[in-house]
Amino acid sequence: PKSSSELIRTIEGIRNQLNSTQDVRLKNELLVRLIDISKSLSLVTQLGTPFVTTLFKSLRLLCADREAAIRSQTMRTLRYLVQDEQTIDLYYQLNIDLFTVRALERDSKYLWERMQGLKLIKRIMSINPTLISRSLVQSLIGIAESPKDDFRRVCLDTLRELSLLNPDIIASCNGIRTITDCMLDPQSQDIAGSLTLTLLYLL
């Protein structure tokens, strides 16, 4: 295995290329390389918070890239880099949650980008559901309340799951009302049973 100094040099090289190139294909390849490296790496422990902060700042720029494919791949990369509570703190400190909301709320034609945004939210939930922010929950609620949104069902299911893990944040964002309304909606009758059980659990 590579030493921490070797890993830093490798990732710094990737970061510098990401910052300098406009080639979409190269950007995508570099992000995939970053994912591969992160799978066997404890970011903060092995690389240190300052270096990881710099890396996250570069990825934040790519969250606003004009190419949907790069924005999607960046969300996917962040999902692998968000590994623990320390990296979740960095994610919020740099306001990357706002870019996640933006990805999730895009038009239906940006399916891959929206899915990667949702997976990133679920990644945070799996690490520590109490660290989910109001901005992320409100985005899920907004989509769950939109009958014509293709992502309504998966966002509603995520809200249902989160209500069992962190009911306080759901209640504070008025999510209980959303779950209740969806339970009574004829379009959601196939999941009304699970929504009912969720409400009974909360009561």
Side-chain angles (χ1 to χ4, degrees):
K2 291 184 177 181
S3 65
S4 294
S5 58
E6 288 175 318
L7 286 168
I8 286 174
R9 283 196 297 273
T10 299
I11 296 174
E12 181 67 11
I14 293 173
R15 191 184 72 82
N16 288 336
Q17 282 186 280
L18 284 170
N19 289 342
S20 61
T21 186
Q22 296 300 317
D23 187 301
V24 174
R25 185 173 178 178
L26 178 57
K27 281 183 182 179
N28 190 68
E29 290 174 355
L30 291 168
L31 288 169
V32 170
R33 279 185 63 197
L34 201 50
I35 290 172
D36 289 340
I37 293 171
S38 70
K39 288 178 180 179
S40 58
L41 180 67
S42 176
L43 282 178
V44 174
T45 302
Q46 293 180 250
L47 305 181
T49 301
F51 181 80
V52 178
T53 301
T54 302
L55 177 61
F56 271 45
K57 285 180 178 179
S58 293
L59 293 174
R60 182 178 59 181
L61 289 173
L62 293 177
C63 288
D65 196 275
R66 63 183 180 182
E67 295 290 340
I70 298 304
R71 297 195 303 267
S72 304
Q73 192 65 269
T74 302
M75 282 290 149
R76 180 170 178 259
T77 304
L78 283 164
R79 172 160 55 91
Y80 283 93
L81 298 183
V82 169
Q83 300 176 337
D84 49 32
E85 293 185 6
Q86 289 174 289
T87 42
I88 291 176
D89 286 343
L90 280 176
Y91 167 85
Y92 286 126
Q93 286 171 24
L94 297 173
N95 297 315
I96 299 175
D97 58 314
L98 302 182
F99 291 96
T100 306
V101 167
R102 186 181 179 189
L104 192 59
E105 296 181 355
R106 285 193 179 274
D107 294 340
S108 58
K109 64 181 179 180
Y110 297 104
L111 175 64
W112 183 243
E113 185 176 356
R114 300 186 80 192
M115 181 60 72
Q116 293 306 318
L118 181 63
K119 285 184 175 183
L120 179 51
I121 292 173
K122 292 176 79 71
R123 170 64 172 165
I124 296 171
M125 285 171 54
S126 72
I127 295 170
N128 188 341
T130 65
L131 295 180
I132 288 288
S133 69
R134 288 179 61 87
S135 61
L136 297 178
V137 175
Q138 287 168 340
S139 180
L140 292 170
I141 288 173
I143 296 170
E145 291 179 343
S146 303
K148 295 182 179 179
D149 197 307
D150 295 337
F151 257 52
R152 183 192 190 200
R153 188 64 57 87
V154 290
C155 287
L156 182 57
D157 192 57
T158 303
L159 281 176
R160 186 184 64 79
E161 180 183 348
L162 184 58
S163 68
L164 302 177
L165 300 170
N166 185 1
D168 290 344
I169 189 73
I170 295 292
S172 69
C173 294
N174 239 357
I176 304 298
R177 179 184 60 80
T178 301
I179 293 174
T180 304
D181 290 346
C182 290
M183 181 183 71
L184 300 173
D185 187 345
Q187 294 183 6
S188 305
Q189 286 308 295
D190 57 324
I191 58 170
S194 61
L195 294 175
T196 302
L197 289 174
T198 300
L199 290 175
L200 288 173
Y201 174 84
L202 294 173
L203 294 174

